[in-house]
Amino acid sequence: MNHLPNSLKSIIAVAPVPMAITDIHMRYLAVSEKWISFYSLENKELIGKSHYEIFPEITDRWKTIHNACLQGVDQQCDEDKFERADGEVMWLKWEVRHWLAEDGAIGGMMMYSEDVTGKRTVVVNEKRFQLFMDELPGLCWITDSNDILKFANKCFFDTLHLTKDVIGKSNEEIFGLDIARDGQLNNMDVLEFGHNKVFHQTVRDEHGHPQYYKTYKFPFPDAGSEGDMVGAIAFNITKRKQLEEELYQSEAQFKQAFEHSLIGMALISPEGQWKRVNKSLCQILGYSEEEMKQLSIQDITHPDDLANSIDVLNDLALARIGEKKLEKRYIHKNGDPIWVVIAATMLYDSSGHPLHYVSQIEDITKRKEIENDLVLSEKKYRTIFENVQDVFYQTDQEGLVREISPSIEQHSGYHRKEIIGKPVSNFYYYPQDRERIIENLRINGSVIDFEVRLKTKNEELRYASVNARLIVENGAITGTEGSMRDVTTRKFHENALKALNTELTASNEQKNKLLSIIGHDLRNPISGSLQLLDLTLADFESSSADDVHSYLSMMKRELSNANNLLEDLLTWAKLQFNAVSFNPVEIKDLSNLIGKCIQTISPMAVKKNIEIVQSVKGEFLLHADTAMLETIIRNLLSNAVKFTNAGGMVTVKAVGDDKGVKFCIKDTGQGIPKDKLTELFYKNSNYTTYGTSGEKGTGLGLSLCYDFVLKHHGQLWVESDEGIGTTFYFTIPE
């Protein structure tokens, strides 16, 4: 244990404040007599005892403070709440500081405390005084002996249209020479005689109309450092100016103000008995003045408010509070509850004993009924808001969600708490939808049935129809509000209907195309063959064998064309109605397959003296539908021969790599006009023209090729130069 010199202990013992010194183990080394008396420790041995042994009720907070101090961190507090062991609450000013031993190490701690409960009460009372003065329905101010304004209440500033900047200025600066002179004479008179005086003053309002005030002035002689002071309270008595001056200086003046107040007023005994009531209060409660004086507050207070009312009366009587404003219910003489708001304070005699309560009582029953209606309306609104299927929302100017109805959860999976406070842009599937709706709101101020695409908590796409408007307050846009309706199902139905219409349109076009081919391209060769047959039969006996052979050859050519057309037509029709099966197999000998296709087209090529050259580079495996692949090559070869002049050349190539096989059918024909290239693979075009020897096509061949290549997930394209030739390419991927 560290030791202190006896001289230091003696000095500490007579210190004028509660003080104690401990070692690093919190054992007392010295204490002041004030410490012993302050904490009622007269009969306890302290020196050598632990501070925590003397005060076992001490909290962890204090232990933390002490430990920090012993680590070198000193602390202090000007006002701290402290509850003694007997339950008494005190307000302390305290300080803890470490002290150093001879070796320079921390030897312990010095503790100092001071009871500042009284000082704090003064501050609280000053605040109450300010609040009370601000609630007074009259002007209140204080000036010093030099006529400088030191204090004024709210009514003073509001009535005279002054600001608080006038505090510290002279009356002459504030009101002018004439008014200041009269005020100064009054103040001197009050200070000279040392008692209250009443004065009458006239002040013109902002419209120039005279306003009459009755002013009560009272002295504050030698108010400490402020010197002599004069307090004043003034009431506007303009409306009662016709009364005699003597009436205003008597009880009659108070009675007039009391009786004719527009709100209920009463003087109530400390026991709660009605001592004096005005007419307004009698009208509020339905009793006469005589009946009221036979009753107490307890007699007419609603049972549910009685306990609280008694507590308030006791607090006022015991000066726990200076004034109170509360809402409560009285029982009207007819038995109906009456809601009132009461401003009450207690007046005391010169000995500090309570005289009576002064109460101002205002009937607020109608206001309460309106409030109840508003609560009911809010409840109804909230019920609708929380149960409606559409989603209602509000956003602020920055686009943050301020409110949204709970129905959002069933549409998006988000709970409303997950959305409120978040940017609304977080919930758009496509940002451009947000930009579009903002632009429309900016231009029109509102949108109706505006379709946007939102995303759910699971990132799913949802369609919504939005009705929204800008919120404008005081000419400024503060946000948006509106409602959203989930139209995803409707949108899917619309899309399905559009798809059906598209399919129906395509089906009608296919039907018209089929009928056109049957009616024109198929009918012509059959009709021509029938005419040749009639001609042959009619002239059979007179016709030579060469004529018959010529007729039959022509018939064979026409019927062959019709047969080819019919084959293409049937294949095309099956494809349109998804009747063609797709059966890819492994094709090992691609050269042989191309050779078969060339052999089929050879008669056409021989007739026009056109050479067909085959080129298959490398050996590779190919997976494809054999029939479809042959149809693609055969049709492209047929077209190449058809549009190549006699003596020309057609080349068929196939090149393989790790991605698949690329086919190339190139001719030296007349080429295709550039403006027609884009129409070749357009299903609704049906573009066709005559070959170099007058061959007629159906326009179905390229359509079949295009569809069959797509079946293999490949590509088909063309390059052509007029007068030079055309090259068709297509790929069959792995």
Side-chain angles (χ1 to χ4, degrees), residues 263-276:
I263 63 174
M265 296 188 67
L267 301 180
I268 306 167
S269 72
E271 296 74 30
Q273 200 73 25
W274 299 96
K275 295 174 62 177
R276 191 169 184 178

Side-chain angles (χ1 to χ4, degrees), residues 509-572:
E509 291 175 352
Q510 293 166 2
K511 179 194 69 176
N512 294 335
K513 184 174 182 179
L514 183 62
L515 292 175
S516 172
I517 293 171
I518 293 173
H520 185 270
D521 294 340
L522 190 59
R523 185 177 62 181
N524 286 344
I526 295 176
S527 176
S529 298
L530 290 174
Q531 290 177 0
L532 287 171
L533 183 59
D534 288 340
L535 181 61
T536 302
L537 293 174
D539 297 335
F540 184 77
E541 294 181 353
S542 59
S543 298
S544 65
D546 291 338
D547 291 336
V548 172
H549 184 271
S550 176
Y551 292 153
L552 292 177
S553 297
M554 294 172 63
M555 288 172 60
K556 179 181 178 183
R557 186 169 59 250
E558 291 291 334
L559 291 175
S560 177
N561 289 336
N563 182 66
N564 291 334
L565 176 60
L566 187 59
E567 288 290 337
D568 284 349
L569 193 60
L570 288 174
T571 303
W572 175 83

Side-chain angles (χ1 to χ4, degrees), residues 470-625:
L470 295 175
I471 302 175
V472 180
E473 296 179 0
N474 299 322
I477 298 174
T478 61
T480 64
E481 64 180 5
S483 64
M484 298 183 295
R485 175 169 294 180
D486 190 333
V487 295
T488 305
T489 302
R490 186 189 76 185
K491 189 68 178 179
F492 286 167
H493 289 166
E494 289 177 355
N495 292 341
L497 184 59
K498 288 180 181 179
L500 288 174
N501 287 336
T502 301
E503 291 180 5
L504 182 59
T505 301
S507 177
N508 287 333
E509 291 175 352
Q510 293 166 2
K511 179 194 69 176
N512 294 335
K513 184 174 182 179
L514 183 62
L515 292 175
S516 172
I517 293 171
I518 293 173
H520 185 270
D521 294 340
L522 190 59
R523 185 177 62 181
N524 286 344
I526 295 176
S527 176
S529 298
L530 290 174
Q531 290 177 0
L532 287 171
L533 183 59
D534 288 340
L535 181 61
T536 302
L537 293 174
D539 297 335
F540 184 77
E541 294 181 353
S542 59
S543 298
S544 65
D546 291 338
D547 291 336
V548 172
H549 184 271
S550 176
Y551 292 153
L552 292 177
S553 297
M554 294 172 63
M555 288 172 60
K556 179 181 178 183
R557 186 169 59 250
E558 291 291 334
L559 291 175
S560 177
N561 289 336
N563 182 66
N564 291 334
L565 176 60
L566 187 59
E567 288 290 337
D568 284 349
L569 193 60
L570 288 174
T571 303
W572 175 83
K574 286 181 180 180
L575 186 64
Q576 301 306 308
F577 294 103
N578 296 319
V580 176
S581 60
F582 179 60
N583 300 305
V585 296
E586 185 180 277
I587 301 174
K588 297 181 179 179
D589 192 351
L590 184 59
S591 296
N592 183 53
L593 184 143
I594 295 174
K596 286 173 59 179
C597 296
I598 294 174
Q599 187 176 3
T600 304
I601 305 302
S602 290
M604 293 176 57
V606 170
K607 188 174 182 180
K608 296 180 70 172
N609 194 26
I610 293 174
E611 181 183 4
I612 300 178
V613 179
Q614 174 184 351
S615 175
V616 178
K617 295 182 179 180
E619 294 183 0
F620 41 80
L621 294 177
L622 176 66
H623 285 82
D625 185 298

Side-chain angles (χ1 to χ4, degrees), residues 8 17 71 76 104 136 148 174 198 294 484 505 517 526 568 597 662 687 722:
L8 179 58
V17 295
Q71 298 297 321
Q76 65 180 32
L136 279 177
I148 302 299
I174 301 171
V198 178
Q294 301 301 315
M484 298 183 295
T505 301
I517 293 171
I526 295 176
D568 284 349
C597 296
K662 181 172 78 172
Y687 169 74
E722 285 190 82

Side-chain angles (χ1 to χ4, degrees), residues 290-306:
E290 291 72 21
E291 290 173 325
M292 287 289 293
K293 290 180 178 180
Q294 301 301 315
L295 300 171
S296 67
I297 289 178
Q298 293 87 334
D299 293 331
I300 62 172
T301 296
H302 193 283
D304 293 343
D305 297 337
L306 184 57

Side-chain angles (χ1 to χ4, degrees), residues 10 34 149 165 326 390 463-464 467 512 547 582 633 665 703:
S10 299
K34 287 287 187 178
L149 184 64
D165 295 339
L326 75 157
D390 285 355
Y463 289 88
N467 293 334
N512 294 335
D547 291 336
F582 179 60
I633 298 172
I665 291 89
S703 179

